[in-house]
Amino acid sequence: MDNSSDDAEREPAPRREPRRLPRWGRAVGGLAVLAVVLILAGRFSLLPGFGDLFRQDTVDRSGPVLLKSIQDMHRYEGAAGNFQVVVDLEKDAAFLPDSIRGTRTLYVGAGSVSGYVDLGGLGEQAVTVNEDRTKVALRLPHAVLGTAALDLDRSYAVSKQRGLLDRLGDLFTDNPAGEQAVQRLAVQHITEAARDSGLVERTEKNTTTMLEGLLRSLGFQEVTVGYA
């Protein structure tokens, strides 16, 4: 039997129309394209003033500053020294390798120490003036060093190495990889260096020069300043 005629008379298969996205899909796609265009326009300043739409503003919502106390200063700071120290602090576990438990921090600490003479406790016996007020002698306490102040703007960690357990512990602390230990050590080293720097002697020398100039301007011809 010849089936060629039947094949010729057979109707062609219906043509499938391309599937269209629903309206909400087209809307989402259009918005996505629009967002990309807007971001590019703001990023590369394609439209003048358009980048202001994506500008981030910083708002300070801090509360008012509370004055806790006021302390009168009765000391003269005669000199100050600036110091820098490289702290290499390593902490090891007794029976674990460093890759598991242990830390090592290389930290550059910059800070200053001031020397001062306390003038607040001077009594009448500390000042001796002759009858015609041409000579004056002062007896002052020796200069001392103030507390070392670490400058955080000029201090920084060069490198930090931590074991696996230490890195995991940072996930459960409010101050991961804290630098308090190296900062305290930096302050300690700076304080020790200030004691050996001659800062105390320089403070007393500058204080003497200041008092001599001040008292001579008041009419004293001979000024003697001593420290005890």
Side-chain angles (χ1 to χ4, degrees), residues 146-164:
T147 304
L150 196 64
D151 188 348
L152 298 181
D153 291 334
R154 297 190 295 119
S155 303
Y156 56 93
V158 178
S159 65
K160 297 180 181 179
Q161 300 176 8
R162 292 171 293 155
L164 177 60

Side-chain angles (χ1 to χ4, degrees), residues 50-123:
F50 193 78
D52 293 339
L53 294 176
F54 300 93
R55 184 184 60 193
Q56 292 182 341
D57 296 328
T58 301
V59 180
D60 185 2
R61 303 188 186 278
S62 304
V65 178
L66 301 179
L67 176 61
K68 303 296 291 185
S69 64
I70 294 179
Q71 182 179 0
D72 294 332
M73 306 300 293
H74 299 286
R75 67 187 192 184
Y76 176 75
E77 293 189 358
N82 296 314
F83 302 87
Q84 188 178 73
V85 60
V86 178
V87 178
D88 188 352
L89 181 60
E90 183 176 3
K91 295 182 180 180
D92 296 324
F95 303 103
L96 293 175
D98 294 342
S99 60
I100 301 298
R101 183 64 189 272
T103 62
R104 183 177 181 181
T105 304
L106 193 64
Y107 186 83
V108 176
S112 60
V113 180
S114 60
Y116 67 90
V117 175
D118 188 1
L119 304 177
L122 297 181

Side-chain angles (χ1 to χ4, degrees), residues 12-74:
R15 185 178 181 181
R16 293 183 179 181
E17 296 183 359
R19 185 178 180 182
R20 295 183 178 181
L21 291 175
R23 290 184 177 180
W24 64 267
R26 293 196 297 270
V28 171
L31 291 175
V33 173
L34 179 61
V36 172
V37 173
L38 293 178
I39 293 174
L40 292 177
R43 174 65 177 83
F44 297 101
S45 301
L46 300 179
L47 297 177
F50 193 78
D52 293 339
L53 294 176
F54 300 93
R55 184 184 60 193
Q56 292 182 341
D57 296 328
T58 301
V59 180
D60 185 2
R61 303 188 186 278
S62 304
V65 178
L66 301 179
L67 176 61
K68 303 296 291 185
S69 64
I70 294 179
Q71 182 179 0
D72 294 332
M73 306 300 293
H74 299 286

